C-alpha cells in the first residue's frame, strides 16, 4: 500500500524521499503546474520562496547541528543543498534554481515515487480514503478551502506574516561603490558589501520610517514571525536597530578607507554565476514604488534593476500541541500526518527536518516496525518537542538551543554551545545505532 504525500515543498519532498529510502511506495501530489500559490512561480518541487540561505554551518549553532543530524539520515534537501551551494561565508546558501531542479529530478526518477498533479481542497476528499496513511505537507499557504478546515481543527485561525527580500541584477550594481568581503575572515569574498556613513545610514532610516507600506486586510491582525521581521518593522523599534542587526558593520573593513563603516548592507549571491544578489535582511512590506525609490538610495544601487521585489504573505500554522498527536498525526483524523511549516516549525531546514521525521515515522509504521523519535537532547528531538509542548500562546519557532534540555553546569557562552553540540551528537549516534535507517 502506498503512502500519499500532499505537497511538493521542502517537507513533502523530504518525507517522500525518506519513505522511498525505506522501500515504501509513495504517491506525491501537488497542484503545480495547474495552479500556484501567491508566493510560488516555478514548476519545480522544493521551490525556495524567500532567502536562498540555509543559514549557519557551525555545529555550535542549533541549525548547524540540525543539518548535521539530517545528513546522517541521508536528507535529500541537504544533499541537494550541498551539490548546488554558492559562496556564503559560514552559511550554506544555494543556487535556488539548480537546487529545485536537483530535487525534482531525484523525485521523478525514483522508482518508488509516483507523481501526480492534483489539488487537495478538503480533508474529506474521497481521494484520501484510498490510502492508509497521508502526509499533509501543504506548506504555510494552503488553499483557502483547506485553510478553513485547519482553522476549525485549531479552534481558531493561527497565522503570521512572512516577508521576503528583494533581488537585484548584478549588471545594475555600481561595483566601484561596494566591496567583496565576509565578516571576520578577510580571505573569504562571499558577500558584496555596501558601506554606509553615519549620515547615509540615518537618511536611509528616515525614509524607511515615512515610507508607504502594504496594509493587511481589515479583518486580519498583523502578526510577524520574530526571526523574519520586515526591515521597516525593525526600524520602528529604534533608529539603531538595523545598525546592530542586519546592517551591523562588525568584522568588515572598507578597503577604500581602511576603516569599519558605520553600517553595512550585505548582498548575497543568488546563483553560482553571481548574476543576481539578495539584499540580506531586507524582508519588507513596503509598496513596490517605495522599494525602488528607497533601496536605490543605497550606494551602488542607484540604477538597480530589481529581478524580484520584496513582498509579504500570510503563513498558516496549526496549534500543534492541541490538534496533533505526538507523532504529528491529527487527533481527529489519525491517518493524516502534518509536516513542515504548517505544524509550527519555522525555516527551510526546520521544515525539511519535520518532513524527514514524519517520513520515517510513517515508513516504520508501514513496515510494522517499532520506531521512537530522537531524544530531546538532539536537534531533531528538540524541534519535535516544541511541537508537543502545550503553551499559553503557541508560536512557530526556528531551532535554537533554548529548545534543548538545559545544561546545568556553569559554562561560558562558547563553551555552553559546544557542550550542547557534543551532547546532541552523542545522543543522536546512540539513537541512530538502534535503527537500520
Amino acid at each position: 500500500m502506498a503512502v500519499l504525500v500532499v505537497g511538493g515543498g521542502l517537507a513533502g519532498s523530504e518525507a517522500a524521499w525518506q519513505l522511498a529510502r525505506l522501500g515504501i511506495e509513495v504517491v506525491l501530489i501537488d497542484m503545480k503546474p495547474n495552479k500556484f500559490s501567491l508566493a510560488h512561480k516555478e514548476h519545480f518541487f522544493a521551490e525556495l520562496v524567500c532567502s536562498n540561505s540555509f543559514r549557519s554551518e557551525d555545529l555550535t549553532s542549533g541549525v548547524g547541528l540540525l543539518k548535521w543530524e539530517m545528513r546522517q539520515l541521508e536528507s535529500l534537501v541537504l544533499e541537494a543543498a550541498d551539490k548546488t551551494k554558492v559562496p556564503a561565508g559560514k552559511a550554506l546558501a544555494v543556487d535556488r534554481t539548480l537546487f529545485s531542479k536537483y530535487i525534482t529530478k531525484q523525485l521523478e526518477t525514483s522508482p518508488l515515487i509516483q507523481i501526480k498533479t492534483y489539488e487537495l481542497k478538503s480533508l474529506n476528499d474521497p481521494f484520501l480514503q484510498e490510502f492508509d496513511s497521508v502526509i499533509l505537507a501543504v506548506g504555510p499557504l494552503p488553499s483557502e478551502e483547506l485553510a478553513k478546515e485547519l482553522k476549525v481543527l485549531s479552534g481558531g485561525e493561527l497565522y503570521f506574516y512572512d516577508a521576503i527580500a528583494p533581488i537585484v541584477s548584478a549588471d545594475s550594481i555600481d561595483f566601484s561603490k561596494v566591496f567583496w568581503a565576509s565578516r571576520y575572515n578577510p580571505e573569504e569574498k562571499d558577500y558584496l558589501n555596501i558601506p554606509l556613513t553615519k549620515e547615509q545610514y540615518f537618511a536611509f532610516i528616515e525614509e524607511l520610517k515615512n515610507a508607504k507600506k502594504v496594509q493587511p486586510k481589515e479583518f486580519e491582525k498583523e502578526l510577524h514571525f520574530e526571526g523574519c521581521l520586515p526591515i521597516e518593522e525593525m526600524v520602528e523599534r529604534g533608529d539603531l536597530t538595523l545598525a546592530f542587526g542586519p546592517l551591523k558593520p562588525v568584522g568588515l573593513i572598507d578597503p577604500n578607507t581602511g576603516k569599519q563603516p558605520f553600517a553595512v548592507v550585505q548582498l548575497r549571491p543568488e546563483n553560482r554565476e553571481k548574476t543576481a544578489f539578495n539584499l540580506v535582511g531586507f524582508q519588507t512590506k513596503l509598496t513596490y514604488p517605495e522599494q525602488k525609490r528607497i533601496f536605490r538610495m543605497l550606494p551602488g544601487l542607484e540604477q538597480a534593476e530589481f529581478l524580484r521585489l520584496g513582498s509579504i504573505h500570510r503563513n498558516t500554522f496549526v496549534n500543534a500541541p492541541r490538534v496533533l498527536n505526538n507523532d504529528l498525526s491529527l487527533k481527529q483524523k489519525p491517518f493524516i500526518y502534518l509536516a513542515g511549516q504548517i505544524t509550527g516549525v519555522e525555516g527551510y531546514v526546520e521544515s525539511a527536518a519535520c518532513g524527514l521525521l514524519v517520513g520515517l515515522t510513517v515508513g516504520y509504521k508501514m513496515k510494522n516496525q517499532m520506531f521512537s523519535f530522537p531524544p530531546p537532547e538532539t536537534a531533531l528531538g528538540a524541534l519535535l518537542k516544541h511541537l508537543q509542548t502545550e503553551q499559553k500562546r503557541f508560536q512557530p519557532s526556528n531551532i535554537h538551543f533554548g529548545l534543548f534540555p538545559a545544561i546545568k553546569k556553569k559554562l561560558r557562552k562558547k563553551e555552553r554551545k559546544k557542550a550542547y553540540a557534543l551532547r546532541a551528537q552523542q545522543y543522536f549516534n546512540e539513537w541512530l545505532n538502534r535503527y537500520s535507517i
Side-chain angles (χ1 to χ4, degrees):
M1 187 70 176
V3 173
L4 177 65
V5 177
V6 184
L10 292 169
S13 296
E14 188 66 64
W17 184 256
Q18 293 296 327
L19 285 163
R21 196 162 72 84
L22 291 173
I24 307 297
E25 292 186 3
V26 179
V27 175
L28 174 61
I29 64 171
D30 196 283
M31 63 184 186
K32 289 182 178 181
N34 290 352
K35 186 177 179 181
F36 293 83
S37 76
L38 295 174
H40 294 88
K41 294 178 172 42
E42 300 292 342
H43 289 195
F44 310 116
F45 292 124
E47 180 183 353
L48 302 182
V49 173
C50 301
S51 166
N52 68 325
S53 174
F54 285 75
R55 305 180 353 251
S56 175
E57 283 282 76
D58 192 340
L59 279 177
T60 59
S61 70
V63 73
L65 186 60
L66 182 60
K67 282 183 282 186
W68 178 84
E69 294 179 5
M70 292 171 67
R71 287 186 175 105
Q72 312 312 304
L73 296 169
E74 299 181 24
S75 162
L76 174 62
V77 167
L78 266 296
E79 178 184 311
D82 289 335
K83 289 186 179 293
T84 61
K85 62 184 177 183
V86 297
K90 293 182 178 180
L92 173 61
V94 304
D95 181 313
R96 66 175 73 223
T97 301
L98 292 179
F99 171 82
S100 296
K101 284 184 176 180
Y102 183 93
I103 287 182
T104 302
K105 182 179 179 181
Q106 295 297 102
L107 296 175
E108 288 179 341
T109 56
S110 171
L112 290 172
I113 300 176
Q114 180 184 4
I115 297 172
K116 293 183 178 182
T117 301
Y118 187 83
E119 181 185 2
L120 184 72
K121 294 184 178 181
S122 171
L123 297 179
N124 296 312
D125 190 318
F127 180 53
L128 297 185
Q129 306 307 317
E130 299 178 20
F131 302 89
D132 288 335
S133 296
V134 175
I135 297 176
L136 193 65
V138 293
L141 293 169
S143 66
E144 187 175 344
E145 297 91 338
L146 199 55
K148 287 180 180 178
E149 289 190 35
L150 291 169
K151 172 183 175 180
V152 173
L153 289 173
S154 292
E157 191 162 19
L158 293 172
Y159 63 88
F160 65 92
Y161 282 92
D162 198 6
I164 61 178
I167 296 173
V168 298
S169 169
D171 291 340
S172 65
I173 299 172
D174 185 346
F175 281 83
S176 68
K177 298 181 180 180
V178 300
F179 63 94
W180 289 97
S182 295
R183 278 197 176 92
Y184 313 118
N185 191 340
E187 295 181 3
E188 292 181 349
K189 311 290 183 183
D190 294 344
Y191 289 81
L192 266 185
N193 298 274
I194 301 176
L196 298 179
T197 64
K198 184 176 181 179
E199 291 74 21
Q200 289 171 327
Y201 172 82
F202 281 106
F204 179 65
I205 294 300
E206 205 56 36
E207 290 299 325
L208 283 177
K209 288 162 67 175
N210 298 316
K212 296 178 181 177
K213 306 172 185 67
V214 176
Q215 299 299 319
K217 296 177 182 178
E218 291 182 7
F219 59 86
E220 295 176 336
K221 181 181 178 182
E222 195 167 358
L223 303 170
H224 292 288
F225 174 62
E226 191 69 22
C228 195
L229 287 173
I231 190 170
E232 59 279 358
E233 184 93 357
M234 286 189 273
V235 168
E236 292 179 7
R237 299 184 176 188
D239 288 357
L240 289 173
T241 301
L242 293 182
F244 288 95
L247 272 64
K248 64 184 178 188
V250 179
L252 296 168
I253 301 298
D254 184 351
N256 295 319
T257 64
K259 298 179 180 180
Q260 179 178 287
F262 183 81
V264 173
V265 176
Q266 289 200 304
L267 281 69
R268 181 178 56 240
E270 275 287 305
N271 52 32
R272 287 178 170 174
E273 295 78 16
K274 297 181 179 178
T275 59
F277 287 83
N278 184 297
L279 276 68
V280 178
F282 271 52
Q283 304 86 223
T284 183
K285 56 183 177 179
L286 297 180
T287 63
Y288 285 174
E290 289 289 72
Q291 288 184 51
K292 293 177 181 179
R293 179 181 69 82
I294 295 174
F295 296 157
R296 282 174 179 156
M297 291 175 59
L298 298 169
L301 299 188
E302 293 89 348
Q303 304 298 321
E305 175 191 350
F306 291 91
L307 302 177
R308 181 189 76 185
L309 286 162
S311 63
I312 186 168
H313 55 272
R314 193 176 73 173
N315 286 353
T316 301
F317 64 96
V318 301
N319 188 331
R322 182 188 300 168
V323 305
L324 301 181
N325 294 309
N326 283 344
D327 62 0
L328 303 188
S329 62
L330 281 167
K331 290 182 178 179
Q332 293 189 26
K333 295 178 181 288
F335 76 100
I336 298 178
Y337 297 77
L338 266 59
Q341 272 192 251
I342 200 162
T343 65
V345 299
E346 171 59 22
Y348 290 153
V349 182
E350 290 85 346
S351 295
C354 186
L356 184 153
L357 283 175
V358 174
L360 292 178
T361 301
V362 176
Y364 270 78
K365 178 184 175 183
M366 296 292 290
K367 291 163 70 77
N368 293 314
Q369 294 181 12
M370 293 294 293
F371 178 78
S372 62
F373 287 113
E377 287 82 4
T378 67
L380 283 164
L383 190 66
L384 178 66
K385 194 70 176 175
H386 164 69
L387 303 180
Q388 298 172 334
T389 305
E390 284 278 0
Q391 300 174 37
K392 186 175 181 180
R393 185 170 179 267
F394 179 76
Q395 284 292 300
S397 179
N398 291 121
I399 185 67
H400 54 81
F401 287 130
L403 299 180
F404 292 61
I407 289 178
K408 304 297 183 181
K409 295 180 182 179
K410 285 188 176 181
L411 298 169
R412 293 181 179 178
K413 186 176 181 180
K414 286 186 178 180
E415 293 175 340
R416 182 175 296 277
K417 289 183 177 181
K418 187 176 180 180
Y420 274 114
L422 290 174
R423 184 184 68 174
Q425 289 174 297
Q426 177 188 340
Y427 275 80
F428 182 84
N429 285 327
E430 291 173 356
W431 170 82
L432 187 60
N433 288 336
R434 293 200 296 271
Y435 299 97
S436 55
I437 297 176

